[in-house]
């Protein structure tokens, strides 16, 4: 018996935090849809018994009618693949939710209560237990309350929750659980959602439990490869044999890194270095690159031109210029001139500053001040 | 530090050159293009190494320095000595970049790092080049106009950055221009305000979008409810369909049973048809022909027998009449045409009378309907006077009102948001506004306060120093007084002893010691008196100094009332800088608040206009809708009123149509009635004419009873009776005779007819194979039976075909078998009921679908052109990042500016007095007292004092010659080097022919000055001029010719 387990797709999510412009973000949102279609296609092609969605199918506050229509059509295309959806905190089962207002095909089963519900699959000895978040915070934590009957059927459970090992301070509204209490005796597999990385949840009851992880990288600062899970269940023995295989999805990577420009001699070399980073990622990444160190030349970097030159190597490139001019600030700070005193004071303040924002401000102030001392008379170049 | 020796392996034009330098003033003489500047560059490169900024000019200069003769030997050796006696040997190869610095004098070979010289001198190479090298060009560059300003700028630059042309003031101006370039709040066309405006616009778009989503939510919910209802109805329809299918199954089973019964009946009929099948081909269709022949024969035979009897009767009657009385005259028969004309005219009159009555009744009905419709129309408003196209007009009214209400709601929503935001900003700003309320120019006030603080601190320091000095002096004086007193007293005693000895013993040799003792006593006595006076004076000065200190302290204590101090206390700031930061925040937030208030004013105005427009429209619509019979109390009533008015207009239009139809019908009926009346008159005239003619004919024919008859018809009836009687009588004998002859002839003809009929009948019978009509009838009965059975069978087959429909028997049987056994109990509702229910549900579902589509359309219209919330927020994030970046750029520039201002203020305040003092001495020496004092303001504003007159040249460049300006500049530059070298290793100075505009006297004086300065700071002077060389010789300077 094969099951497909996914979660945290977050269709129609906003990419403002990732710094994507709307055009690129729209492309990314479309990519999420295609990703879900691909999961459905693979589930159908492999003859899976069911698709388990452990919450986070879409973002409730932002989901549009087109996306709801898309989901309906996608489920219709996947018919008769049974789909079990456990609404999570991003897509809770609240009045006005598409889960409530939408007309879903009859092979799509949406859990309707924050308590455990059981749905027996027709034509297969499989019973799926699940619950729904009834708001961004669930009104009562269902973990620990699951009871599995000894009816000879294979029982799996699906839902979203916060593993206390990962989130020790998770409030009750996030459905926190201990691995032991979540693994009800008799359960063959626990499909979890609410964590962006695929992760096993070991427990002493021998129940296989996994976070599916997001099939798409949620944004910058997340580790782990995006994937969904193929779960093979063999319930012929006394104890069900469960084999979980991650299926990595072809998703854009979010690359965030620093590039030290000290060794680079010109903006062209910098653009080449950036393009090299993009090529190493096969152009399939959204990159946020912080330029650090000493920049080539005294003039500020023309980020637009560099982005124009290196941009084709990326799906999207966002540059943050934190370079400083190729100056020996310690040397400049020697002496008793006001330039030296200014540089020395800024050097000291920079050395003593721990706040990144203030640090950036101070570094820039130092650079601007030195530029001011050295600028030819006349109007300086305005900000760009 | 001084440079003792330079050995050039290869550097520009020099190769293998070895020079030794005097420790003080060293003159290097050479004509143009002999490498003076190259040597100067060599010294700097040797001391600090070759560094560059990578510019093209720097690369070109480096190329020029590459040895012309042997590029591989690029470098040399420099020996220099420090103030403490240490020496250092510097060896560099600029080709390989190797550098060796080691202690040279002691021979220890101790190595130093590459930056050793920089470390010892405390200055970098740029600083060295900027301050310690004074070239001809730097002086020429002063020009003639605004020279003092340029000198001031250069001094500021040297003081601030050790390089000419880069002062703190210029840096501040540059940063201020940079801030202006970034833009301040409310400054259109600049990046930051534009970005902020874009961000505000996006925020408004986001708020509008959120509001719109809120407004659409109830519509979405309604739509979802409709969809749920539609789904429920669809389920009901499906349930009905199931019941209908049950009915259909039962009906199909019934049909099968009926079809099977029909099939059995067909088989029976077919079997019954076997017996009469022999007569299948009997020409039954000729039965009428046979019957006609038979009837013809029977008729002919009957006619023949009747004619025979009639002939016999005529012959007997004739015989009797020929024996009876003759008949009298009777009226002849009338002309049938005349009779027919009368009858037709009479019938036409009757018909037309009936038609006229009917038309009158119909016209009355039409009139009644017109009156009824007019009464109904009177209840409606007269839409025809309201608008040419009331539907479009009402729709336009409702739409325009909707648009106005939506616009008002949108504007009011934005107003509420901006009001809240402005209120928040105002509240946030209030504490700072209250704090800075009475302060007109805080920055000047703060600067004045700081300046006062600094001056007072300086005064206090000076006063303390002076007090300490005075105390020391007083103490010293107090310590000296007892000594002087003791010595003078001692010497006095000794003198008295000597005098006593001389008087007593007359020893002349004691005179001179006595005189010396007297002088000593007088000396110490005088010192004693002077010391006492000095002590008293010092005590007075100490009292003054203490009073001054107390006054300063009191002044400091009095600062608690200073507005800046009050502000610092109020704001909890420890430094003025913190307070300035608060003030900056206050100014920035004030500007932002002002900008927001402007925006709020615009939005208030727009919202008020929108509200006013809605109210105005509502007032207008109240009157307008009253015309169509609708009452509008509230704006929510407008749409309902428009809908009601539209419905009323539809009813009005239908009533109008009915009225027009009724009027047309009435007109047509009236017309028809008029035509019928005319035709009736004509028919009556024709009837009267025919009656007159009939009466005339009847009178002519002797019928005198016309007048006695009630009508012409009665007269005609009577005339006909008399005419018939006359015919009967007049026939008489002749008639009987004629009749007998006619009967005889007819009898013969009838005989022939009988014979012909017999032949025809026989032919028909023979054709059918029967011999008699009875046999024909028997056969025909059998054939009819067969035909009946055949037709019955065909009818049954047609029934069966109807039952089976398009399918065949087997298909029906298969369908029944596949359907299985029907439900034992039929649905409670009949098929017709179910169909009716389904139709009703479908009607409701259609209405729901229509409403849902309308809602969908409404949503689409409202959402048309709107971007998604995601897109707007993503744009907001980009704009916010840009605003933050530009804000940080502005903040960084402002911070750099503030720090530079603060540092420069302090530095200038510290440097300027010392610089002015030293430079004044130099200038007085160069000009031989023509100018003795240079005054430098804190911002390095330069004034030159004219001795004797006490006049201060505030714009000396207007009074002084170019040479004098050069000398002022040189004095200040030399003083600046002295200032920078204060308490540090002396910096050697490299002068490159700076005396272009000097006269001989001042050149000599300058040379003497340089020689004197060179005792503390080594001066290496490069020149190509003989007069400079001669002047150098006068001060015994070491001269080396290149």
């Amino acid at each position: 018996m094969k099951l497909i387990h996914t979660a945290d797709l977050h269709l129609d999510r906003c990419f403002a935090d990732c710094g994507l412009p709307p055009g690129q973000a729209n492309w990314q949102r479309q990519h999420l849809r295609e990703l879900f279609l691909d999961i459905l296609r693979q589930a159908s092609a492999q003859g899976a018994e069911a698709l388990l969605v452990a919450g986070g199918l879409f973002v409730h506050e932002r989901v549009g009618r087109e996306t709801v229509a898309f989901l309906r059509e996608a489920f219709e295309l996947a018919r008769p693949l049974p789909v079990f959806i456990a609404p999570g905190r991003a897509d809770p089962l609240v009045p006005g939710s598409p889960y409530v207002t939408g007309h879903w095909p009859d092979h799509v089963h949406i859990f309707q209560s924050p308590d455990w519900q059981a749905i027996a699959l027709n034509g297969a000895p499989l019973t799926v237990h699940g619950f729904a978040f009834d708001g961004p915070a669930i009104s009562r934590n269902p973990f620990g309350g699951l009871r599995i009957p000894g009816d000879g059927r294979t029982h799996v459970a699906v839902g979203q929750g916060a593993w206390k090992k990962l989130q020790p301070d998770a409030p009750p509204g996030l459905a926190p659980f201990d691995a032991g209490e979540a693994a009800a005796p008799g359960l063959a597999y626990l499909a979890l959602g609410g964590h962006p990385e695929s992760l096993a949840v070991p427990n002493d009851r021998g129940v296989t439990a996994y976070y599916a992880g997001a099939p798409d990288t949620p944004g910058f600062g997340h580790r782990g490869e995006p994937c969904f899970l193929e779960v093979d269940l063999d319930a012929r023995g006394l104890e069900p044999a469960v084999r979980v295989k991650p299926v990595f999805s072809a998703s854009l990577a979010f690359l965030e890194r620093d590039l030290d420009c000290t060794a680079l001699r010109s903006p062209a070399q910098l653009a080449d270095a950036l393009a090299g980073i993009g090529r190493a990622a096969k152009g399939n990444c959204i990159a946020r690159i912080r330029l650090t160190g000493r920049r080539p030349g005294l003039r500020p970097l023309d980020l637009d031109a560099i982005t124009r030159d290196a941009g084709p190597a990326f799906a999207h490139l966002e540059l943050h210029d934190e370079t400083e001019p190729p100056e020996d600030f310690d040397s400049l700070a020697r002496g008793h001139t006001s330039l030296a005193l200014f540089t020395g004071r800024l050097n000291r303040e920079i050395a003593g500053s721990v706040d990144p924002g203030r640090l950036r401000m101070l570094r820039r102030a130092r650079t601007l001040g030195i530029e001011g001392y050295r600028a030819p008379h006349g109007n300086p170049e305005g900000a760009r | 530090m001084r440079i003792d020796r330079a050995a050039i392996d290869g550097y520009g034009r020099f190769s293998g050159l070895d020079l030794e330098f005097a420790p003080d003033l060293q003159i290097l003489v050479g004509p143009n293009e002999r490498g003076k500047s190259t040597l100067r560059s060599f010294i700097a490169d040797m001391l600090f190494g070759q560094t560059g900024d990578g510019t093209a000019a720097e690369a070109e200069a480096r190329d020029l320095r590459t040895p012309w003769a042997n590029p591989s030997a690029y470098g040399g050796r420099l020996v220099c000595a420090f103030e403490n006696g240490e020496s250092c040997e510097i060896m560099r190869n600029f080709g390989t970049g190797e550098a060796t610095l080691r202690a040279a004098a002691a021979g220890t070979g101790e190595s130093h790092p590459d930056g050793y010289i920089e470390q010892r001198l405390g200055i970098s190479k740029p600083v060295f080049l900027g301050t310690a090298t004074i070239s001809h060009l730097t002086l020429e560059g002063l020009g003639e106009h605004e020279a003092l300003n340029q000198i001031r700028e250069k001094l500021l630059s040297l003081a601030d950055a050790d390089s000419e042309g880069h002062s703190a003031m210029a840096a501040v101006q540059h940063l201020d221009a940079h801030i202006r370039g970034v833009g301040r709040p409310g400054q259109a066309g600049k990046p930051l305000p534009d970005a902020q405006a874009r961000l505000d616009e996006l925020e408004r778009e986001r708020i509008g979008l959120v509001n719109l989503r809120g407004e659409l939510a109830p519509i979405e919910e309604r739509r979802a409810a409709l969809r749920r209802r539609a789904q429920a109805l669809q389920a009901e329809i499906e349930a009905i369909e199931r019941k209908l299918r049950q009915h259909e199954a039962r009906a199909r089973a019934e049909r099968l049973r009926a079809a099977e019964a029909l099939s059995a009946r067909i088989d029976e009929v077919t079997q019954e048809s076997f017996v009469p099948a022999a007569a299948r081909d009997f020409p039954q269709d000729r039965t009428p022909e046979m019957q006609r022949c038979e009837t013809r024969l029977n008729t002919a035979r009957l006619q023949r027998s009747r004619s025979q009897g009639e002939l016999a009767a005529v012959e007997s009657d004739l015989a009797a009449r020929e024996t009876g009385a003759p008949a009298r005259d009777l009226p002849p028969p009338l002309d049938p045409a005349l009779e027919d004309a009368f009858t037709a005219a009479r019938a036409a009159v009757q018909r037309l009378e009936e038609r006229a009555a009917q038309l009158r009744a119909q016209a009355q009905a039409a009139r009644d309907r017109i009156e009824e419709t007019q009464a109904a129309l009177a209840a409606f408003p007269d839409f025809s006077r309201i608008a040419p196209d009331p539907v479009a007009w009402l729709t336009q009214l409702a739409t325009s009102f909707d648009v106005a209400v939506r616009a008002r709601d949108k504007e009011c929503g934005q107003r509420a948001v901006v009001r809240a935001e402005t209120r928040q900003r105002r509240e946030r700003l209030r504490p700072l506004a209250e704090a800075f309320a009475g302060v007109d120019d805080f920055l000047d006030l703060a600067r004045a306060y700081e300046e006062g603080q600094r001056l007072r601190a300086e005064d206090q320091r000076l006063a303390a120093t002076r007090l300490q000095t005075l105390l020391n002096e007083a103490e010293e004086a107090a310590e000296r007084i007892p000594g002087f007193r003791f010595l003078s007293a001692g010497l006095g005693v000794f003198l008295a002893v000597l005098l006593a000895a001389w008087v007593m013993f007359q020893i002349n040799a004691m005179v001179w010691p006595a005189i010396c003792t007297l002088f000593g006593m007088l000396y110490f006595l005088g010192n004693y008196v002077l010391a006492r006076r000095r002590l008293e004076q010092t005590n007075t000065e100490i009292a003054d100094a203490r009073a001054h200190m107390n006054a300063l302290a009191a002044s400091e204590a009095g600062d608690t009332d200073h507005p800046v101090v009050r502000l610092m206390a109020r704001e909890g700031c420890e430094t003025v800088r913190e307070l300035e930061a608060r003030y900056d925040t206050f100014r920035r937030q004030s500007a932002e608040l002002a900008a927001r208030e402007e925006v709020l004013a615009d939005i208030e105005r727009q919202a008020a206009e929108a509200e006013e427009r809605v109210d105005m429209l509502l007032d207008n619509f109240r009157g307008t809708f009253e015309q169509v019979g609708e009452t509008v109390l509230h704006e929510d009533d407008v749409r309902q009123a428009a809908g009601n008015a539209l419905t009323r207009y539809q009813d009005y239009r239908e009533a109008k149509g009915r009225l027009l139809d009724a009027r047309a019908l009435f007109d047509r009926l009236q017309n028809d009635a008029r035509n019928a009346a005319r035709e009736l008159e004509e028919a009556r005239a024709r009837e009267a004419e025919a009656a007159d003619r009939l009466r005339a004919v009847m009178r002519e024919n002797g019928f005198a009873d016309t007048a006695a008859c009630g009508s012409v018809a009665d007269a005609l009836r009577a005339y006909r009776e008399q005419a018939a009687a006359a015919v009967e009588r007049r026939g008489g004998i002749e008639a009987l005779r004629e009749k007998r002859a006619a009967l005889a002839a007819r009898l013969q003809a009838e005989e022939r007819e009988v014979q012909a009929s017999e032949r025809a009948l026989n032919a028909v019978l023979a054709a059918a194979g029967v011999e008699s009509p009875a046999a024909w009838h028997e056969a025909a009965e059998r054939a009819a039976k067969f035909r009946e059975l055949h037709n019955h069978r065909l009818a049954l087959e047609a029934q069966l075909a109807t039952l089976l429909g398009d399918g065949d028997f087997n298909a029906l049987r298969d369908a029944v078998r596949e359907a299985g056994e029907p439900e034992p109990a039929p649905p409670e509702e009949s098929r017709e009921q179910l169909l009716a229910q389904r139709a009703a549900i479908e009607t409701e579902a259609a209405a729901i679908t229509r409403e849902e589509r309308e809602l969908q359309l409404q949503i689409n219209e409202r959402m048309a052109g709107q971007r998604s919330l995601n897109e707007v927020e993503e744009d907001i994030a980009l704009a916010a990042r840009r605003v933050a970046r530009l804000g940080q750029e502005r903040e960084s520039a402002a911070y750099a500016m503030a720090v530079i201002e603060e540092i420069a203020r302090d530095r200038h305040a510290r440097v300027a007095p010392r610089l002015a003092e030293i430079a004044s001495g130099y200038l007085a020496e160069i000009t031989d007292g023509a100018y003795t004092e240079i005054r430098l303001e804190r911002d390095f504003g330069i004034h030159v004092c004219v001795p004797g007159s006490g006049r201060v040249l505030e714009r000396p460049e207007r009074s002084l010659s170019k040479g004098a300006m050069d000398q002022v500049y040189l004095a200040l530059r030399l003083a600046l080097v002295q200032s920078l070298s204060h308490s540090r290793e002396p910096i050697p100075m490299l002068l490159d022919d700076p005396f272009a505009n000097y006269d001989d006297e001042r050149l000599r004086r300058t040379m003497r000055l340089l020689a004197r300065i060179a005792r503390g700071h080594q001066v290496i002077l490069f020149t190509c001029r003989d007069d400079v060389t001669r002047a150098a010789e006068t001060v015994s300077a070491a001269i080396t010719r290149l």
Side-chain angles (χ1 to χ4, degrees), chain B residues 827-883:
Chain B
E828 293 177 359
E829 304 88 345
S830 67
R831 185 169 180 274
E832 288 69 25
Q833 285 175 327
L834 290 171
L835 288 173
Q837 285 178 9
R838 186 176 68 175
I841 292 171
E842 283 175 344
T843 305
E844 186 183 355
I848 286 172
T849 306
R850 205 162 41 246
E851 186 180 355
E852 188 204 345
R853 282 182 186 158
E854 285 173 4
L855 292 176
Q856 180 63 52
L857 194 62
Q858 202 174 337
I859 291 169
N860 288 345
E861 282 177 359
R862 299 286 299 277
M863 292 298 288
Q866 301 283 351
R867 299 194 299 163
S868 74
L869 188 60
N870 279 336
E871 288 175 322
V872 174
E873 290 191 352
E874 281 149 6
D875 253 350
I876 285 174
L878 290 179
R881 270 197 290 277
R882 179 165 168 73
V883 167

Side-chain angles (χ1 to χ4, degrees), chain B residues 88-234:
Chain B
C88 181
E89 182 180 24
I90 305 164
M91 288 174 287
R92 292 185 186 274
N93 186 323
F94 301 119
T96 61
E98 292 174 0
T100 304
L101 281 77
R102 65 186 181 198
T108 59
E110 183 189 356
S111 294
H112 298 301
D114 195 6
Y116 182 67
I117 300 299
E118 190 176 334
Q119 184 186 344
R120 285 299 297 262
L121 291 181
I123 57 173
S124 62
K125 183 178 182 182
V127 177
F128 176 77
L129 292 174
T131 55
T133 64
I134 305 171
S135 71
H136 174 71
L137 290 176
T138 55
L139 287 170
E140 281 297 304
L142 293 176
E144 294 183 352
H145 300 293
E146 296 295 328
L148 257 294
N149 278 340
Q150 293 182 39
I151 290 172
R152 171 174 165 268
E153 287 293 328
K154 286 179 184 298
L155 286 173
L156 280 172
S157 305
L158 289 167
D160 292 336
D162 286 336
S163 62
E164 294 182 1
H166 303 97
S167 66
M169 193 174 71
V172 167
Q173 287 172 352
H174 176 86
L175 289 169
D176 187 54
H178 187 74
I179 291 171
R180 284 201 307 276
V182 173
R184 295 189 166 95
Q187 195 178 6
K190 297 295 182 184
L192 180 55
D194 287 352
Q196 186 62 53
R198 171 70 179 148
L199 182 59
D200 293 343
E201 182 186 341
L202 287 168
E203 275 295 343
R204 285 196 293 276
E205 185 180 353
R206 189 185 71 79
I207 291 166
L209 204 53
V210 170
N211 290 340
L212 181 59
R213 285 169 70 102
E215 290 169 14
L216 291 181
I219 300 177
E220 288 278 12
E221 284 177 14
R222 171 69 182 153
R223 187 168 158 267
L226 288 174
R227 291 194 61 165
R228 284 197 294 276
R229 178 63 186 152
Q231 287 162 12
L233 291 176
Q234 188 60 38

Side-chain angles (χ1 to χ4, degrees), chain B residues 435 438-439 445 449 453 456 552-570 579:
Chain B
V439 182
L445 194 64
Y449 173 74
Q453 289 286 95
R456 185 165 53 232
L552 288 175
S555 161
E556 186 174 14
D559 274 355
T560 52
D561 292 336
H562 195 281
V564 173
V565 176
R566 284 204 304 274
L567 281 172
M568 286 170 64
R570 177 192 173 100
L579 194 59

Side-chain angles (χ1 to χ4, degrees), chain B residues 230-541:
Chain B
Q231 287 162 12
L233 291 176
Q234 188 60 38
E236 288 182 26
I237 288 175
E238 285 171 3
I240 290 173
E241 294 281 359
R242 278 196 299 276
K243 290 181 179 178
L244 283 172
R245 280 196 293 277
Q246 286 181 22
H247 275 294
E248 190 180 344
R250 297 184 75 83
R252 196 185 300 116
E254 286 294 329
R255 268 198 299 137
L256 180 60
R257 280 195 292 274
E260 285 172 345
L262 280 174
S263 180
R265 179 71 188 131
I266 288 168
D267 291 344
E268 287 175 9
V269 171
T270 304
Q271 284 183 359
E272 285 178 18
S273 301
F274 286 159
V275 175
R280 164 189 287 173
D281 298 329
F282 185 77
Q284 196 181 4
D285 55 338
R286 296 187 68 179
T287 297
E289 182 185 353
M290 191 281 293
Q291 286 175 338
R292 274 197 306 275
C293 291
E294 186 183 9
T295 306
R296 181 183 167 192
L297 177 59
N298 292 337
T299 305
R301 281 176 180 165
L302 184 61
Q303 190 63 33
R304 187 182 61 185
S305 63
R306 191 181 299 139
S307 297
Q308 286 171 349
E310 194 176 342
L311 183 57
V314 166
E315 282 178 348
S316 127
D317 192 21
L318 182 59
R321 283 182 184 254
E322 283 177 345
T323 61
R328 60 182 180 95
D329 288 337
L330 289 172
L334 289 171
D335 184 0
L338 196 57
E339 266 187 81
D340 291 345
F342 174 72
T343 308
R346 184 177 171 77
V349 167
Q350 286 178 350
R351 181 173 51 80
L352 287 171
E353 281 175 348
E354 289 173 4
R355 167 80 175 145
Q358 186 182 2
L359 286 173
R360 277 196 299 277
Q362 288 178 349
Q364 184 58 42
R367 185 188 299 278
D368 293 344
R369 197 175 310 145
I370 287 171
E371 289 173 356
E372 182 186 340
T373 309
Q374 280 176 335
L377 267 178
F380 287 110
D382 190 356
F383 282 97
S384 62
R385 291 186 183 174
I386 292 173
D389 185 355
V391 173
W393 175 66
L394 287 166
T395 308
Q396 188 181 356
L397 283 184
T399 307
S400 65
F401 190 73
D402 269 357
V403 169
V405 169
R406 277 206 300 274
R408 183 203 59 188
D409 293 346
K410 182 181 175 187
E411 294 292 344
C412 289
Q414 287 180 357
R415 180 180 62 185
V417 170
V418 177
R419 268 181 184 169
E421 188 191 345
T422 309
R423 191 164 54 248
Q424 284 177 356
R425 283 178 186 270
R426 202 176 288 126
E427 289 299 325
R428 203 162 56 229
L429 184 61
R430 180 169 296 152
L432 287 174
E434 288 172 355
F436 292 103
V439 182
D440 291 336
D441 190 345
F442 170 76
L443 291 178
D444 285 349
L445 194 64
R447 285 197 186 106
Y449 173 74
E450 278 190 303
E451 190 68 24
Q453 289 286 95
R454 191 162 38 249
L455 289 174
R456 185 165 53 232
E458 199 172 341
D459 286 347
Q460 282 176 332
R461 185 174 55 76
L462 291 173
T465 307
R466 178 167 170 71
L467 179 62
Q468 188 60 44
T469 305
L470 290 171
L471 288 171
N472 291 340
E473 286 178 0
E475 187 179 356
E476 189 181 349
E479 285 174 358
R480 281 180 175 179
I481 285 172
F484 286 139
R485 190 167 53 208
F486 174 75
L487 286 174
S488 56
L491 287 176
V493 171
F494 186 60
L495 178 62
V497 170
L498 287 178
L499 286 176
W502 179 67
V503 170
M504 289 172 65
F505 304 105
Q506 290 295 316
I507 302 171
N508 290 334
M510 291 199 180
V511 174
W512 287 110
I515 291 171
C516 292
T517 304
L518 175 64
F519 280 116
M521 184 193 71
L522 290 175
Y523 170 76
F524 286 115
L525 192 61
N527 275 338
Y528 169 75
V529 173
L530 286 175
R532 286 295 298 268
R533 286 185 180 170
R534 178 67 184 158
L535 180 60
E536 288 171 1
Q537 187 179 352
T538 304
N539 286 334
T540 307
E541 288 179 358

Side-chain angles (χ1 to χ4, degrees), chain A residues 161-172 174-178 195 211:
Chain A
W163 186 16
K164 289 178 183 173
K165 184 178 176 186
L166 294 176
Q167 294 173 267
D169 301 324
L174 294 185
F177 64 87
D178 286 323
H195 187 66
Y211 276 110

Side-chain angles (χ1 to χ4, degrees), chain A residues 265-272 296 301-302 306 309:
Chain A
R265 292 183 176 275
S266 67
Q269 277 193 5
L270 172 57
D272 287 344
L301 293 173
D302 184 352
I306 294 170
D309 292 343

